[in-house]
Structures are given as C-alpha cells and as structure tokens.
Amino acid sequence: MSEKIVKPYGDDRTSKKQEVATMFNNISAKYDFLNHFLSLGIDKLWRRRAIKELKSLKPKRILDIATGTGDFALEALKINPHNIIGVDISEGMLKVGMEKMKSKEVDHIISLRLGDSENLPFENEAFDAITVGFGVRNFENLEKGLSEMLRVLKPGGKAVVLEFSKPKSFPIKQLFGFYSNYFIPFFGKLFSKDQRAYSYLPESVQVFPEGQAFRDILIQVGFENVASFAVSGGIATIYSGTK
C-alpha cells in the first residue's frame, strides 16, 4: 500500500498504532456521547444494517475488531450468537465498554479484551463471523489487519466492515464536507479534552482507499464474494467478504 499515512498527532517518534491508542484513551469518557451526537444517531442505523448482512449465516461465535465501547457487539446480539468477543487497543475505551456490558447485563455473552488487530490473540479459524465498525482506517498496516481477520475466520465465515466514505453527489458531498471539516472538529474540541482527535477523523477518511479500491484489497488478501454498498448517500459504506 502506498497511500498517505495519517496519524492523530503526526509525531515522527510514535507509530500510528500508538497514537490511535492514545487518542481513544483520551476521548474514551466522552466517546459515546460525542459519537451519537455528532452522527445525529445515524450510526446506530448503519450498524443495524451491517449486522443484517450476517443474519442468514446465524453465526454462533463473533469477533468484533476495534470494538471501542462495544456498540457493534451490542447490535450483534440481535442475531442471537452464543458468544461475542470484542478487541481493541485502547484500555480506556474497553473500560467504558465493560461497564456498559455489565449495566446491560450482557457481560456473560459479550467479553471485551485488549488486543492488536494486526496480531490477533486467537487460533486459526476461531470465529464464524467478524465485524469492524469504523476501525479499519485506523489500522497501521491495512493488509496485515485484513489478513489476520481472514486467518481467524472459519471457512464459510463472513466478515462485515462498516467504514466512512466520501459522498460523490451534490448536495450530500458538499454538506458532508462542511460537516466533517468544520462541525465535527469544532464540537469535538468543545466537548473532548483532545484537540486533535476530531480533526483526525475527516483527515483519515480522505486518505482511506474506499469503494473499489478497498474491495480490491479484500480480494488481494484472500476474501471471496466481496461486495459493498453505500448508506446515507455515501457517507458510509458496508463491505463484506467470505472465507
């Protein structure tokens, strides 16, 4: 991959992985509030639609990568899995997520643990399905992270990725451009103690290989039946692939 690497703080002395972990640790206390506020709640609809992609598979064991505070894992409960494991590199986000699972009394089904998406602490072919919500653009090495997903997926299993994309048509393109470049950073800075976190969001979306480019990478690392469709006029895209 030769795409430009965008990091939250742009420090040459630290890796993207380290900076992403630090960023999410910094904003973890306000993350859920800001996430739903800044997305106007639409992110919940996107997750719901993404989980529908797994409904016919009826997966019993699901891995949620870059789980954050566990919203995608909670949405996956609707397809009645036996077990969901969420992994993330931010201890702060996981702490908030674990409290959330306990308060909702689902911690017997959903467990969250510290883990690196590019070096997953699981055996080969351990999961029926994998979900990633707004996490793949934060991978330091995209192909390595996707290859790890394929490794821990069972034959016939399915991965579903929900990620931001860039709307192409008027007026959504213009509205989203203003919203992501001005509205989100302004309110992110206002409510969060991290000055860079919500400026990093639009910057990382700009350089992410979306659409056909991302489908090509999924195929390149070994996924089959790769497909995608845009939601909300192209603000986000849901990708899927099977092993």
Side-chain angles (χ1 to χ4, degrees):
M1 290 294 293
S2 59
E3 81 269 5
K4 179 184 176 185
I5 296 176
V6 171
K7 302 191 294 183
Y9 308 109
D11 190 334
D12 293 336
R13 298 167 297 179
T14 52
S15 68
K16 178 175 179 177
K17 194 177 298 182
Q18 289 172 312
E19 292 196 16
V20 166
T22 297
M23 178 188 74
F24 281 114
N25 285 337
N26 288 345
I27 65 175
S28 58
K30 297 283 187 180
Y31 180 80
D32 279 345
F33 164 74
L34 277 168
N35 197 31
H36 302 316
F37 170 72
L38 294 174
S39 70
L40 308 176
I42 298 172
D43 61 309
K44 295 178 182 178
L45 300 177
W46 295 340
R47 288 188 190 88
R48 193 173 304 159
R49 182 62 187 84
I51 289 299
K52 281 185 179 179
E53 292 296 298
L54 297 175
K55 193 172 182 181
S56 62
L57 187 65
K58 298 179 180 178
K60 297 306 177 190
R61 194 163 193 241
I62 299 175
L63 174 65
D64 184 39
I65 295 174
T67 193
T69 63
D71 280 347
F72 218 163
L74 285 168
E75 190 63 40
L77 289 173
K78 293 179 180 177
I79 52 175
N80 299 313
H82 292 164
N83 171 247
I84 304 171
I85 297 177
V87 295
D88 202 280
I89 58 171
S90 167
E91 293 185 64
M93 296 287 276
L94 291 170
K95 184 178 178 181
V96 174
M98 286 186 276
E99 288 302 315
K100 190 191 296 187
M101 300 311 154
K102 289 177 184 175
S103 68
K104 293 180 180 292
E105 299 182 347
V106 295
D107 52 315
H108 62 294
I109 301 174
I110 301 174
S111 59
L112 306 182
R113 64 177 72 173
L114 197 64
D116 181 356
S117 59
E118 295 165 33
N119 188 22
L120 293 169
F122 305 108
E123 295 179 359
N124 296 348
E125 303 178 0
F127 297 94
D128 302 306
I130 295 174
T131 56
V132 194
F134 310 113
V136 291
R137 78 179 189 287
N138 295 324
F139 287 2
E140 189 164 67
N141 184 318
L142 184 56
E143 289 99 330
K144 188 175 181 183
L146 296 175
S147 296
E148 273 291 272
M149 288 166 55
L150 190 67
R151 179 184 68 79
V152 302
L153 196 60
K154 290 180 181 178
K158 189 172 187 177
V160 175
V161 174
L162 170 62
E163 190 52 86
F164 286 112
S165 46
K166 299 182 285 291
K168 307 297 189 294
S169 59
F170 178 86
I172 296 176
K173 176 181 178 180
Q174 288 73 18
L175 289 170
F176 182 69
F178 175 82
Y179 188 77
S180 61
N181 288 309
Y182 299 100
F183 186 88
I184 289 177
F186 175 79
F187 281 100
K189 289 174 185 176
L190 187 65
F191 291 107
S192 166
K193 66 180 181 180
D194 192 300
Q195 294 293 302
R196 276 287 300 154
Y198 289 90
S199 296
Y200 165 75
L201 170 63
E203 292 170 8
S204 62
V205 172
Q206 281 300 314
V207 301
F208 182 73
E210 62 175 319
Q212 185 61 54
F214 186 63
R215 293 196 300 271
D216 287 344
I217 298 170
L218 286 169
I219 293 167
Q220 178 187 319
V221 301
F223 280 96
E224 300 178 353
N225 305 309
V226 172
S228 70
F229 58 90
V231 290
S232 298
I235 294 173
T237 300
I238 295 171
Y239 304 89
S240 62
T242 60
K243 181 173 180 178

